[in-house]
Amino acid sequence: AYGPPPYGPPAYPPAHQAHRGMGPLVPFYGSFGVGGSFLSGDAAGGIPMNEYFGSQLGIWLEGGGRMTPNLGLGLYLDLGLGDVAGTTRAYCDSIGSSCTATTGRFGVLLRHTFDPYAASTPWIAVGTGYEWSNASIDDPGAGSTELFNYQGWEMLRLMGGVDLRSDLLDQLTGEM
């Protein structure tokens, strides 16, 4: 002769808010980063990158579409600006000019986000694309003169990081 309990079934939050209060995932993503890079490997057979290119300040942009909440297919653009190194540095110093080294990469990648609903989450990515690098002499009166240029296919790009997200999109759309 026992009846139902005096309380009802537990209330569950909507599915898109079940993970730490974040709003629904949008079908696309975007990301940017700023950091440093230290080049290694060979620009060509027997031409080590770190002999001609010093450390660089890098800017990285990425965007794409989500195939699932965890998996996205996107494009990346990675640009770097820095100083020349080694024999190129010695040459620039000998002629009394400043020199600049630039690098760039553009391609496609597959990105896995471990917890797409979290406010911060690790991710890994694999991709491929096109890359280029050059060094130039900077002459204030005559402009810039290219010393050398390397370009080619970036066969394998492996990346990893941590996303730090805000609820800015929720605030803009009025969802909390």
Side-chain angles (χ1 to χ4, degrees):
Y2 294 104
Y7 53 86
Y12 295 103
H16 72 273
Q17 293 180 359
H19 298 283
R20 295 171 197 72
M22 296 296 289
L25 286 179
V26 293
F28 58 89
Y29 71 94
S31 180
F32 73 94
V34 176
S37 61
F38 306 92
L39 304 174
S40 63
D42 287 347
I47 302 174
M49 290 289 285
N50 62 357
E51 177 60 27
Y52 297 94
F53 296 90
S55 58
Q56 295 190 335
L57 172 66
I59 297 174
W60 165 59
L61 302 168
E62 178 188 340
R66 295 183 193 278
M67 299 185 306
T68 70
N70 295 83
L71 194 61
L73 181 63
L75 299 174
Y76 67 88
L77 175 64
D78 186 357
L79 302 172
L81 177 66
D83 200 9
V84 294
T87 55
T88 309
R89 168 84 284 149
Y91 173 73
C92 293
D93 290 344
S94 73
I95 63 171
S97 291
S98 64
C99 293
T100 304
T102 59
T103 59
R105 293 166 197 84
F106 176 77
V108 298
L109 58 82
L110 192 61
R111 180 180 195 178
H112 175 76
T113 304
F114 288 95
D115 187 354
Y117 294 96
S120 70
T121 182
W123 58 269
I124 57 174
V126 61
T128 186
Y130 181 76
E131 63 182 335
W132 64 94
S133 57
N134 67 36
S136 58
I137 299 172
D138 307 318
D139 185 354
S144 180
T145 303
E146 188 172 88
L147 290 172
F148 52 84
N149 182 340
Y150 297 104
Q151 52 191 329
W153 198 252
E154 182 180 38
M155 292 186 282
L156 179 63
R157 180 176 182 91
L158 299 173
M159 301 184 319
V162 176
D163 281 342
L164 304 174
R165 301 186 181 121
S166 73
D167 60 355
L168 179 62
L169 184 61
D170 289 344
Q171 291 173 10
L172 292 174
T173 60
E175 296 179 20
M176 292 290 218

